[in-house]
């Protein structure tokens, strides 16, 4: 079984057994910000801090779905000449020490240039468990999905707040591992408050899919994590974490890693139901 | 227009794109899910409008009364004599209101915005021509308008920034990446992802996700429709070759498309060859790049081996873009149109020659097509006909052109 599927299965079992920690924290980090070695240590810090799965952001020159925090983090990594093969090598070297799931968040521009099959094969080889390809919507996803599935990995196609329910159903059918539900329309970034209609939206999705539901966009503190996992299966936190990494760059690697671990523990405290 | 089924003869290309927005291997919709609803709404609104005689009549009326169409097809007699080859004709888009073909598309899309009951339009701009055209259309139709522009381009194109502001538009400085057109496009797409309920995004070229490449082409096709009729009327036959500059490719698509099934008419697109054929020194994806995905569609792009968009260079800000419309990619691959490139230096020479010999100051973008047109005409017979699309006037380029000419001497 795929690692992502296993992780969610394990969480569901502990929920059924009455445990209070049956939900997942899914932080996002941009690989190579501030450098590859630090990203490796960040992944270990996320694991210690209570994350179940990490979204590995492959830096891209033109990330149209991302807000200014993640965009500038990607540009920072690219300005230091980061190459995709180095990302794969970093994951490969670290995979033995990691029990958390690793999902590649990667623009199709990069995958296409490598060649779909070559990229997926290399990802599978180094121990990446799944994909989020934000610029491949349902209409363009068929071939890519089949190749990812054949490689034993999962693919989560984004569902937006304005996605009609019958379309969400089609997306859920095409997805595997988990459903990625955006809490709000627009680009990535922190929000003060989560939308009130979120629980209803999740309830409606539950009726059309059995996959675990992860919610992302705008989640930036433990209270918001708590609100989300009250109704969903996982909370995704991106910009809030990436911002803390950027703020600590100048203080050196240890400061970055400590800040990440502290913030992850804070976020994970919101998982307790 | 372009809405027929895939069952037409193979040799015809005018039925493309497919319902899913593909031109052979190119095109499609590569954007985040958030834009699905807006693109679907746009596709429906556009198809309904194009089948509505009232919409078409109103569009024609604005083009005639406001834009000043038809633009003339001009026989460049002195240039023809000077070159000594085929007869050279020019489609005078430089005579359009706002000084370039861009206004055709902005008017069409502003009309759609009103039909969709949206009150705000956004646009990206590089040289500022599309920004000015869109600000103009916004004023005419009473819409709010935000134009995204890279800070580097704002510096290079100050007069157009002022012009847009005078027309009531808000120019939003974009300070990320290379601070040029592609970054302005990113910023506009991001805005649209959060604002599409109330806002329409007027893309300025035949790029982006479906239905933009088709829609912009169809609004620009008036250039080729007029040109075809003018050729038959003034010359008594179709031209042997049509030459147009290609950045994103909207003026070229507009003049090529109505000739696309006339297989005896050669079509030649001219990309910005810049300083050299090294990556980073030009803006010529069809000439030197390869298939890739950028800004919502699969086409030819300039990128490195990891799919990261390359820096681009051209003396012409309007051609300074790392991608090109997906339909051009298909015409290139299928062999229906050919594409070449013209260096900064050759474009500048053509710019000067055009001023001195014909009394027309062409845009630096159009100067690329003129340079190639001169080269092509020279190798042809006097009874043959070359049409060059003179896509815009060069007033906006005066300062930059004079500086560059100074540097050369």
């Amino acid at each position: 079984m795929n690692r992502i599927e296993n992780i969610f299965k394990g969480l569901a079992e502990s929920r059924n057994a009455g445990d209070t920690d049956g939900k997942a924290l899914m932080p996002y980090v941009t690989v190579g910000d501030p450098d590859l070695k630090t990203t490796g240590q960040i992944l270990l810090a996320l694991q210690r801090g209570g994350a179940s799965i990490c979204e590995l952001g492959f830096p891209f020159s033109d990330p149209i779905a991302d807000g200014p925090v993640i965009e500038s983090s990607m540009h920072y990594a690219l300005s230091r000449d980061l190459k995709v093969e180095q990302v794969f090598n970093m994951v490969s070297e670290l995979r033995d020490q990691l029990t958390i799931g690793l999902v590649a968040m990667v623009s199709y521009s990069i995958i296409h240039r490598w060649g779909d099959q070559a990229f997926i094969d290399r990802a599978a080889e180094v121990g990446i468990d799944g994909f989020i390809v934000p610029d491949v919507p349902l209409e363009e996803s068929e071939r890519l999905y089949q190749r990812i599935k054949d490689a034993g990995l999962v693919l989560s196609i984004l569902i937006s707040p304005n996605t009609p329910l019958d379309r969400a159903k089609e997306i859920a059918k095409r997805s595997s591992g988990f459903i990625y539900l955006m809490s709000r329309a627009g680009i990535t970034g922190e929000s003060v408050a989560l939308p009130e209609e979120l629980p209803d939206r999740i309830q409606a999705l539950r009726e059309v899919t059995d996959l675990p539901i992860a919610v992302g966009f705008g989640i930036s503190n433990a209270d918001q994590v708590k609100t989300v996992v009250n109704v969903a299966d996982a909370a995704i936190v991106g910009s809030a974490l990436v911002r803390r990494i950027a703020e600590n760059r100048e203080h050196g690697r240890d400061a970055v890693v400590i800040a990440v671990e502290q913030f992850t523990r804070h976020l994970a405290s919101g998982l307790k139901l | 227009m372009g809405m027929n089924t895939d069952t037409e003869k193979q040799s015809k290309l005018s039925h493309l794109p497919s319902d899913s927005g593909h031109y052979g291997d190119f095109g499609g919709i590569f954007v985040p899910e958030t834009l699905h609803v807006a693109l679907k709404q746009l596709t429906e609104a556009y198809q309904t409008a194009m089948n509505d005689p009232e919409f078409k009549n109103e569009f024609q009326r604005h083009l005639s009364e406001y834009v000043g169409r038809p633009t003339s097809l001009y026989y460049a007699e002195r240039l023809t004599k000077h070159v000594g080859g085929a007869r050279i004709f020019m489609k005078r888009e430089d005579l359009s209101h706002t000084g370039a073909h861009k206004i055709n598309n902005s008017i069409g899309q502003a009309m759609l915005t009103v039909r969709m009951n949206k009150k705000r339009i956004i646009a990206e701009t590089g040289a500022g021509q599309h920004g000015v055209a869109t600000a103009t259309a916004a004023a005419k139709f009473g819409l709010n308008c935000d134009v995204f522009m890279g800070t580097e381009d704002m510096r290079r194109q100050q007069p157009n920034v002022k012009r847009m502001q005078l027309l009531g538009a808000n120019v939003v400085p974009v300070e990320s990446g290379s601070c040029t057109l592609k970054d302005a496009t990113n910023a506009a797409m991001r805005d649209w992802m959060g604002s599409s309920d109330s806002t329409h995004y007027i893309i300025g070229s035949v790029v982006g996700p479906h239905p933009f490449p088709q829609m912009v082409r169809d609004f620009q096709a008036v250039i080729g429709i007029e040109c075809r009729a003018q050729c038959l009327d003034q010359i008594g036959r179709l031209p042997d070759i049509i030459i147009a500059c290609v950045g994103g490719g909207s003026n070229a698509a507009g003049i090529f498309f109505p000739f696309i099934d006339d297989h005896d008419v050669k079509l030649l697109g001219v990309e910005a060859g810049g300083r050299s054929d090294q990556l980073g020194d030009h803006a010529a994806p069809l000439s030197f790049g390869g298939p890739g995905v950028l800004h919502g569609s699969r086409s030819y792009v300039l990128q490195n081996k990891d799919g990261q968009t390359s820096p681009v260079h051209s003396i012409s800000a309007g051609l300074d873009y790392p991608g090109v419309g997906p339909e051009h990619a298909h015409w290139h691959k299928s062999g229906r149109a050919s594409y070449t490139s013209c260096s900064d230096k050759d474009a500048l020479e053509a710019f000067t020659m055009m001023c001195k010999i014909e009394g027309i100051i062409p845009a630096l973008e159009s100067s690329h097509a003129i340079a190639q047109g001169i080269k092509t005409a020279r190798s042809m017979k006097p009874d043959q006909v070359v049409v060059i699309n003179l896509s815009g006037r060069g007033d906006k380029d005066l300062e930059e052109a004079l500086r560059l000419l100074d540097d050369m001497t």
Side-chain angles (χ1 to χ4, degrees), chain B residues 126 149-159 161 179 399-400 403:
Chain B
M149 190 170 190
T151 48
E152 175 61 18
D153 287 335
M154 285 178 75
R155 188 189 59 76
R156 290 193 285 188
Q157 309 282 338
Q158 258 306 306
V161 174
C179 306
E399 204 176 313
E400 184 74 353
R403 187 181 66 75

Side-chain angles (χ1 to χ4, degrees), chain A residues 59-67 71 75 78 82-85 108-114 134-140 157-164 167 171 182 184-187, chain B residues 20 22 27-38 176-177 182-183 185-186 189-191 193-194 196-197 290-296 298-299 301 303-310:
Chain A
F60 178 49
S61 53
D62 299 275
I64 52 171
D66 285 304
E71 182 194 34
H75 286 168
L78 290 174
L82 186 79
K83 297 284 185 284
V84 169
E85 185 54 31
Y108 189 58
S109 298
I110 296 173
I111 298 175
H112 179 276
R113 177 63 194 226
W114 266 61
D135 44 4
V136 172
L138 185 62
E139 287 74 14
E140 303 285 352
I157 303 169
L158 271 66
I159 295 178
S160 163
N162 62 11
T163 303
R167 180 176 167 85
I171 292 176
M182 297 159 64
R184 56 166 166 74
I187 52 178
Chain B
S20 57
H22 289 86
I29 300 177
F30 292 92
V31 290
E33 172 64 17
T34 308
L35 288 179
H36 169 77
V37 170
S176 70
K182 89 173 167 71
D183 309 286
T185 307
N186 294 341
M189 283 194 168
R190 287 186 187 117
D191 181 294
M193 273 185 254
S196 59
D197 283 351
V293 172
L294 178 67
H295 289 151
R298 183 174 190 271
S299 183
V301 297
Q303 55 181 203
N304 72 12
K305 286 178 181 152
D306 273 348
Q308 311 291 352
T309 312
S310 302

Side-chain angles (χ1 to χ4, degrees), chain B residues 201-272:
Chain B
Y201 175 20
I202 302 191
I203 290 187
S205 193
V206 286
V207 299
H210 178 67
F212 283 106
Q214 175 187 15
M215 189 172 66
V216 178
R217 175 201 75 194
D218 287 349
F219 286 138
Q220 293 293 1
V222 63
I223 306 171
I225 293 168
E226 286 174 8
C227 182
R228 200 172 184 283
Q230 288 164 327
C231 284
L232 293 174
D233 184 41
Q234 293 172 227
I235 317 169
R237 66 177 182 88
L238 297 181
D240 296 282
I241 185 165
I242 300 172
I243 300 175
C245 66
V246 177
S250 72
N251 89 80
I255 197 166
F256 288 176
F257 184 66
F259 292 90
I260 208 72
D261 294 331
D262 296 318
H263 288 274
D264 293 336
V265 180
K266 285 188 189 146
L267 306 171
L268 178 58
V270 186
E271 297 188 305

Side-chain angles (χ1 to χ4, degrees), chain B residues 360-375:
Chain B
I360 295 170
I361 304 173
L364 283 176
E365 290 79 10
S366 321
S367 299
H368 288 71
I370 297 164
Q372 181 61 43
I374 290 168
K375 209 190 267 182

Side-chain angles (χ1 to χ4, degrees), chain B residues 13-127:
Chain B
L13 292 170
S14 57
H15 61 282
L16 293 173
S18 66
D19 288 344
S20 57
H22 289 86
Y23 305 84
D25 291 340
F26 303 102
I29 300 177
F30 292 92
V31 290
E33 172 64 17
T34 308
L35 288 179
H36 169 77
V37 170
L39 290 172
K40 190 162 176 259
Q41 180 197 22
L42 179 60
T43 304
E44 282 164 8
Y46 169 65
Q47 287 177 353
T48 311
M50 289 314 252
N51 289 318
D52 178 356
E54 216 168 290
F55 180 86
K56 283 171 126 173
N57 288 341
E58 193 193 331
F59 182 51
Q60 285 306 326
R61 184 167 60 80
H62 293 313
L63 290 182
S64 139
E65 294 172 5
Y66 187 70
V67 178
R69 305 203 70 94
T71 60
S72 64
L73 180 69
Y74 166 68
Y75 175 35
E77 201 168 353
R78 287 198 75 217
L79 186 64
T80 297
K81 276 194 188 128
H82 182 83
V83 171
R87 278 191 290 165
I88 300 171
F89 287 76
M90 303 210 168
K91 180 62 176 160
R92 296 290 307 274
E93 291 304 299
D94 60 316
L95 298 176
S96 305
H97 180 44
T98 72
H101 70 291
K102 292 287 186 191
I103 189 76
N104 302 328
N105 171 50
S106 294
I107 294 278
Q109 290 202 49
M111 285 174 60
L112 276 181
T113 308
V114 173
R115 273 175 89 101
M116 291 187 290
N117 280 320
K118 295 184 176 181
K119 307 286 180 223
R120 173 177 175 254
I121 50 183
I122 54 172
E124 83 294 339
T125 198

